[in-house]
Amino acid sequence: MTPLLEQVYAPGDFRRQGHALVDQLADYLEACPTLPANPLVAPEDLLSTFRSLLSNNKTKPEDLYELMLRHSLHLHAPAYMGHQVNPPAPLSALGDLLNGIINGSTAIYEMGSTGAVMERLVMEAFANMLGLSSATGGFMTNGGTLANLTALLAARAAKWPEGDAWQAGNGPFRPCVLVNEQAHYCIDRAVRIMGWGEQGIINVPSDEAYKMKTEELDGLIAEARKKGLTPLAIIGSAGTTSTGSFDDLDSIAEVAERHKLWFHVDGAHGGAQYLDPDRRDLVRGMDRADSVIVDFHKTMMTPGLTTGVFFKNGSDAYRTFHQKAEYLLSFDSGEEDWANMGRRTFECTKNMMSLRVFSLLSVYGPEVFRDYLTSVNGIAAHCAVAVRQTPELELAVLPETNIVCFRYHPKTTGLSLEEVNGLNQMIRAQIIQETDFYIVQTKLRGLVWLRCTFTNPMTSRGHVDKMLQEVKARGEAQVAFRSGMPVF
Ligand SMILES: Cc1ncc(COP(=O)(O)O)c(C=O)c1O
């Protein structure tokens, strides 16, 4: 080993660097309550800051980490109200350090034994906690996007009209799935990756609350068949990305069962809402789904990516990838081999993400997830009430969980639709540039809305009220200068 490599692997250096990093992170977490959520820096400026670290190979690790902490979005700041990613529980994040050192992989048991057993136990525990059937089986994977693709590959294997698409390709069939037009774009991607093209996805219209109009399903299935398409699956959203709207899963289950279609639930954002006693009804019917995916990094306090893919019939998880890899997987018999995960997952090398959940479950108990959800849902409910009490603000839809879409729209000023859209885009830009808050925006049926996802249980009602005041103040200032206001 060269002296340089000796230094790289020296436990003493690691001890010093590790303690310093943990101290740095603890200081950071202590500072977060008063930090602005978004330390915005132009990409070119940040690029040159980091480039300078490479031109100087004497960079100290703590300087690199300090730069990262300074310039990253602060999810643990209560002013963070942006995208759906949650601030990880420090204990869960700490496990990533352990995972990084062990670097186990759950594809084969021998390479990731501890991760494999924790993964099985996490999936069993959550199947039970989410009210899924006792025959449920599954595994964890890298994110909701990959999880949805994996579940749809299982749907294809289970519902393929004839032969085996894995071996023969799509052949003469023109398969399709039905999904809420508001669904996350990864469903569309999954369909196209499977080679089904644009016709492979039938967007079911949504109602005024952005929920799937399930009463249209029968007609759309009949129409698709008339066109020579083969519907294979219906996908329910629990909930949608923009507004967090929950489809009526029970109704979808009924239609899917009647037409013998696969029923998949994209619960990346809201599948875990079963754990909030006041919101359990939102996912009524989820237990009837053939497959369900849930992102732990959105609503269960883990770092990303950490996703569970649940199959009502655990054996379905084995259908997805038939392919053999003799050098890794010595089974060929078709027997269910839970400990060698690579047979069921898209990934080969896959880190031991189960630790992120297992640590929280074993140290704090299952109620920690309920507490988290009830907290962030409660903050969102407060935001909705405050918006409704402010005449200049308008709510897109009553929030069902922790996503709130609203906009500044004073009715008396006679602004056109384009002007209101432009005004809200401008307000959003000003909020993230001029205040501590980080919020995002979305477009629904041509209208621009400000969008908050409350993922931080440290966000208080006071923070929400302040953010709304900042929005209103900026809206008022813009309207006052209306004659000079740009129209987008
Ligand atoms: C409903 C829904 N499904 C899937 C995804 C994709 O999940 P991931 O970002 O974990 O790949 C998202 C992400 O926002 C989502 O909201």
Side-chain angles (χ1 to χ4, degrees), residues 8-19:
V8 167
Y9 284 102
D13 279 6
F14 171 70
R15 192 184 302 276
R16 267 192 312 282
Q17 290 162 351
H19 281 296

Side-chain angles (χ1 to χ4, degrees), residues 23 29 66 106 153 209 237 256-257 301 425 451 466 478:
D23 283 341
L29 290 173
E66 201 280 319
T106 55
L153 286 168
S237 296
E257 283 160 17
M301 295 175 285
Q425 282 170 320
R451 176 171 172 271
K466 178 87 173 65
Q478 285 301 322

